[in-house]
């Protein structure tokens, strides 16, 4: 299944989805060294965003969060792509600095943690690879 | 509506003006897309946040240096937010040498881009003072709120990178608070409370607590509001500075109007929705913001936002002939400190044992763990002191904080 959104920053990525129904604050909320979500009582608390297709409604918090996204990239702990319902400036600018593919205007309920996704942010397309397609050959 | 760029803007985006201009234009085009702006407009003044090494870390430092190496030059007057250190006097304030070295590297990179390295959250007191109606691109939430509301200049709430992008390109996307119809108030705030000690016009804590009440109320309503505040008899620069910092911190407010005080208050019809702040509500809030007793205080700070020369003159007058034994920092702009030096205020204040920390502040300096309890007259410092530095807070008026510092010393002398 292929879903469409609006491209915020181009590029392609593939990997496992990590979905949050809560907003994410990168500054103070995500450890820039490891990618682990630190925010207390956040539904992703303790999980790492590193290498994931990170999906959340929209960002929040300090504008310094853009630099946190850049720091994640420098530390190789960045999400490989970011998908938002509504991308706000902190996340958008962070993705531009760090050159992380980013798409918004997606329907978040179509995605579940663990799904395997192909993201093509050049054209704002996200392909959900069926779990059946992923089973290792016996 | 689609975005139309001028030839020079297109050239920047295509990389013809170098890496820094291309990255900058990418940032501004993305913002234009998100907010459905159809063009860029020139700005004449920029304030950049994201300056302290404590916030930027090595990655932020590397990015700023990459922009400087990539040919980035400020096309318009551009000033900086506070740094993590007093640039001339960091050793005396106990800052680690490695931190100071990195901080200086950041400032050098900004200076290479022709950014004026006055490190202050009150650029309007340090040579970056836009006029009414001027389009600008400012970061630093308290200064944004002051520029929009008190001066009537026009800026959105920029982040550090987007402000730097506007400095390098000289433009910003036209949306939000740049458009007059987005500056209309949509909520009236009727204040029947008033400060009881405004003779010096330095009721900074009262205005800070008022800002917190209104800010939190707006935050609860979830939608972004522009309040029109009625009923206040007057407000000084210092009181407005404190109010702006607080309402921006607690309510994300970029613009408010105050009847009889701010320049755009009379331009619009009064909205029907009314929020009432009754007599006594502000003192009640201030009381609730005092988490600890004065005896538990191990660190005192005045200067969030950075102190004006009027506040420093008042503090010098109050501290003259007294000695203070607790760690007590005055945070202000380098340029304001220079006026204080010239007037002899610095000498009086330092003779009492109080330290000046210019260029920096208690939110961005690396002081977490060094102190545990903060006394302040700033509602904004309460929020960040707790959230960023894990301080327990003693919030009180400027006079009460000074009394605390002085009486404390007197008690020890008589003991």
């Amino acid at each position: 299944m292929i879903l469409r959104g609006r491209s915020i920053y181009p590029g392609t990525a593939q990997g496992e989805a990590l979905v949050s129904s809560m907003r994410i604050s990168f500054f103070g909320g995500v450890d820039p060294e490891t990618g682990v979500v630190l925010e207390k009582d956040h539904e992703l608390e303790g999980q790492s965003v590193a290498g994931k297709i990170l999906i959340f409604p929209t960002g929040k918090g300090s504008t310094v969060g853009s630099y946190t996204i850049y720091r994640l990239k420098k530390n190789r702990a960045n999400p490989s792509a970011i998908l938002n319902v509504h991308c706000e400036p902190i996340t958008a600018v962070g993705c531009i600095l760090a050159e992380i593919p980013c798409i918004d205007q997606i329907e978040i309920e179509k995605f579940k943690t663990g799904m395997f996704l192909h993201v093509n942010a050049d054209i704002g397309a996200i392909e959900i690879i069926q779990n059946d397609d992923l089973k290792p050959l016996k | 509506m689609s975005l139309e760029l001028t030839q020079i803007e297109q050239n920047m985006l295509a990389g013809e003006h170098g890496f820094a201009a291309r990255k900058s234009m990418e940032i501004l085009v993305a913002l234009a897309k998100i907010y459905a702006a159809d063009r860029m407009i020139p700005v004449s003044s920029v304030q950049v946040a994201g300056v302290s090494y404590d916030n930027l870390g090595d990655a932020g430092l590397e990015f700023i240096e990459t922009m400087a190496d990539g040919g980035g030059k400020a096309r318009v007057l551009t000033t900086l937010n506070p740094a993590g250190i007093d640039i001339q006097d960091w050793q005396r304030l106990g800052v680690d040498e490695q931190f100071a070295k990195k901080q200086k590297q950041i400032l050098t990179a900004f200076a290479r881009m022709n950014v004026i390295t006055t490190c202050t959250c009150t650029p309007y007191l340090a040579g970056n003072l836009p006029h009414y109606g001027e389009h600008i691109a400012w970061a630093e939430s308290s200064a944004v709120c002051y520029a929009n509301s008190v001066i009537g200049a026009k800026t959105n709430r920029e982040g550090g990178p987007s402000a730097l992008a506007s400095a390098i390109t000289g433009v910003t996307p036209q949306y939000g608070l740049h458009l007059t119809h987005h500056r209309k108030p949509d909520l009236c705030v009727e204040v029947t409370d008033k400060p009881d000690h405004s003779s010096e016009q330095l009721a900074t804590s009262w205005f800070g607590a008022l800002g917190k009440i209104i800010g939190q109320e707006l935050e609860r309503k979830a939608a972004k509001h522009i309040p029109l505040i009625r009923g206040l008899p007057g407000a000084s620069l210092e009181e407005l500075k404190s109010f702006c910092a607080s309402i921006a911190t607690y309510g994300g407010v970029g613009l408010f109007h105050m009847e009889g005080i701010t320049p755009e208050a009379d331009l619009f019809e009064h909205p029907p929705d009314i929020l009432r702040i009754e007599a006594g509500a502000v003192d009640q809030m201030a009381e609730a913001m005092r988490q600890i007793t004065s005896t538990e205080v191990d660190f005192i700070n005045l200067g969030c936002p950075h102190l004006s020369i009027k506040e420093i003159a008042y503090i010098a007058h109050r501290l003259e002939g007294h000695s203070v034994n607790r760690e007590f920092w005055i945070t202000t702009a380098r340029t304001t400190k220079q006026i204080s030096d010239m007037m002899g205020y610095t000498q009086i204040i330092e003779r009492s044992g109080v330290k000046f920390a210019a260029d920096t502040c208690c939110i961005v300096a690396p002081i977490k763990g060094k102190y545990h309890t903060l006394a302040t007259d700033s509602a904004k410092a309460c929020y960040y002191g707790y959230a960023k530095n894990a301080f327990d807070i003693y919030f009180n008026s400027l006079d009460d904080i000074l009394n605390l510092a002085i009486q404390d010393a007197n008690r020890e002398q008589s003991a």
Side-chain angles (χ1 to χ4, degrees):
Chain A
M1 182 167 50
I2 293 181
L3 299 165
R4 294 269 170 186
R6 176 175 70 167
S7 169
I8 296 291
Y9 193 79
T12 57
Q14 50 184 307
E16 231 180 75
L18 179 63
V19 183
S20 165
S21 66
M22 290 166 77
R23 303 197 292 166
I24 292 180
S25 166
F26 284 92
F27 181 64
V30 179
D31 183 346
E33 306 294 324
T34 61
V36 171
V37 176
L38 301 173
E39 186 178 331
K40 216 176 163 327
D41 299 326
H42 196 283
E43 66 178 276
L44 297 186
E45 186 182 353
Q47 298 192 59
S48 173
V49 302
K52 298 286 164 53
I53 312 283
L54 181 61
I55 306 175
F56 55 101
T58 190
K60 63 169 182 175
S62 166
T63 56
V64 178
S66 301
Y67 286 121
T68 305
I69 296 174
Y70 186 76
R71 287 173 75 172
L72 286 168
K73 177 68 177 269
K74 290 290 155 184
N75 292 323
R76 299 176 192 281
N78 59 294
S80 52
I82 288 178
L83 310 182
N84 283 165
V85 176
H86 169 71
C87 190
E88 45 60 59
I90 303 167
T91 308
V93 170
C95 287
I96 293 166
L97 302 187
E99 310 202 321
I100 294 171
C102 179
I103 296 174
D104 84 338
Q105 298 182 349
I106 58 140
E107 294 173 71
I108 197 166
E109 55 281 4
K110 297 264 169 75
F111 299 96
K112 290 198 169 49
T113 293
M115 277 179 168
F116 195 83
L117 307 178
H118 282 187
V119 174
N120 183 346
D122 296 349
I123 55 168
I126 308 130
E127 186 177 1
I128 300 176
I129 310 294
Q130 291 306 316
N131 286 341
D132 295 346
D133 301 343
L134 283 176
K135 278 182 188 157
L137 296 169
K138 282 182 181 156
Chain B
M1 196 158 55
S2 69
L3 176 65
E4 283 194 28
L5 297 179
T6 62
Q7 192 58 52
I8 186 168
E9 289 158 6
Q10 288 176 35
N11 294 347
M12 286 182 184
L13 192 58
E16 289 171 29
H17 292 253
F19 170 83
R22 174 171 70 78
K23 252 313 127 189
S24 297
M25 199 49 82
E26 281 178 3
I27 289 170
L28 300 177
V29 165
L31 293 178
K33 201 189 267 187
I34 290 170
Y35 292 106
D38 58 0
R39 65 185 185 115
M40 302 288 173
I41 48 167
V43 293
S44 47
S45 158
V46 170
Q47 166 78 1
V48 172
V51 176
S52 171
Y53 179 66
D54 204 34
N55 290 344
L56 288 174
D58 284 327
L61 162 61
E62 190 186 317
F63 177 73
I64 308 282
E65 286 190 326
T66 307
M67 293 297 267
D69 293 342
K73 295 280 181 217
R75 290 174 168 247
V76 297
L77 175 64
T78 302
T79 49
L80 289 183
N81 240 27
I85 59 170
D86 180 309
I87 297 154
Q88 293 179 6
D89 218 1
W90 52 272
Q91 274 154 322
R92 198 171 46 91
L93 295 165
V95 176
D96 163 71
E97 191 165 346
Q98 186 62 14
F99 185 98
K101 191 176 150 232
K102 299 274 192 180
Q103 184 63 68
K104 286 180 183 173
Q105 254 177 284
I106 292 167
L107 297 179
T108 302
F110 276 121
R112 278 165 61 206
M113 292 190 273
N114 295 341
V115 171
I116 312 285
T117 54
T118 43
C119 299
T120 179
C121 52
T122 57
Y124 48 89
L125 297 178
N128 191 353
L129 178 62
H131 62 68
Y132 180 83
E134 199 166 1
H135 292 281
I136 62 176
W138 279 20
E140 170 46 35
S141 63
S142 74
V144 165
C145 193
Y146 190 94
N148 273 320
S149 313
V150 181
I151 299 170
K154 295 176 178 179
T155 178
N156 286 313
R157 284 162 53 87
E158 301 296 344
S162 66
L164 181 61
S166 283
I168 290 170
T169 60
V171 298
T172 192
Q174 185 184 43
Y175 71 93
L177 295 176
H178 289 285
L179 302 166
T180 303
H181 62 274
H182 284 152
R183 299 175 69 88
K184 255 188 248 172
D186 52 7
L187 177 74
C188 276
V189 179
E190 192 74 55
V191 182
T192 44
D193 207 356
K194 57 175 184 291
D196 54 8
H197 56 295
S198 58
S199 59
E200 299 285 343
Q201 291 253 295
L202 290 175
T204 45
S205 64
W206 191 90
F207 274 86
L210 176 66
K212 183 176 179 186
I213 295 175
I214 301 172
Q216 282 185 333
E217 202 58 44
L218 298 182
E219 191 70 12
R220 232 192 311 276
K221 289 174 183 284
K224 278 288 154 232
H225 281 284
I226 296 175
L228 170 65
I229 300 153
R230 301 188 300 214
L232 291 168
S236 65
L237 181 152
E238 289 74 14
E239 291 165 343
L240 288 165
K241 169 164 75 73
S242 174
F243 181 79
C244 287
S246 178
I247 198 169
T249 296
Y250 292 100
V253 170
L255 167 66
F256 63 84
H257 304 292
M258 251 182 209
E259 197 175 43
I261 296 170
T262 66
E264 289 171 272
D266 298 333
L267 298 184
F268 306 102
E269 276 181 36
H270 290 201
D273 281 355
I274 297 182
L275 166 71
R276 292 180 196 283
I277 313 267
E278 307 293 349
V282 178
D283 282 343
Q284 214 178 326
M285 171 56 87
E287 187 65 40
M289 292 163 73
R290 252 188 301 287
Q291 303 171 332
I292 53 168
T293 61
S294 62
T295 51
E296 296 171 83
V297 170
D298 67 3
F299 183 49
I300 302 173
N301 172 235
L302 295 173
C304 174
H306 274 168
L307 292 184
S308 71
I309 192 60
K310 178 177 156 178
E311 288 172 301
I312 291 175
Y314 182 72
I315 292 166
H317 159 73
R318 288 291 319 274
L319 290 181
E320 186 156 23
H322 294 279
S323 65
V324 175
N325 301 330
R326 283 188 237 205
E327 190 74 9
F328 183 164
W329 290 13
I330 297 282
T331 44
T332 191
R334 170 76 45 200
T335 46
T336 307
K337 179 170 182 284
Q338 283 162 348
I339 303 173
S340 169
D341 294 348
M342 184 183 81
M343 293 303 295
Y345 301 147
T346 308
Q347 245 192 324
I348 293 169
I349 290 170
E350 286 185 337
R351 208 182 294 134
S352 76
V354 174
K355 293 170 184 166
F356 267 80
D359 317 308
T360 186
C361 81
C362 289
I363 293 174
V364 300
I367 52 175
K368 185 172 182 179
K370 284 190 184 172
Y371 312 106
H372 305 285
T373 48
L374 170 71
T376 176
D377 69 333
S378 160
K380 176 176 180 172
C382 291
Y383 179 87
Y384 285 99
Y386 181 74
K388 183 160 181 281
N389 290 326
F391 294 151
D392 289 326
I393 306 292
Y394 180 78
F395 175 73
N396 217 329
S397 69
L398 176 63
D399 274 315
D400 282 310
I401 302 278
L402 291 169
N403 287 341
L404 159 69
I406 294 165
Q407 283 163 4
D408 188 41
N410 290 347
R411 192 165 46 241
E412 282 190 27
Q413 277 164 7
S414 60

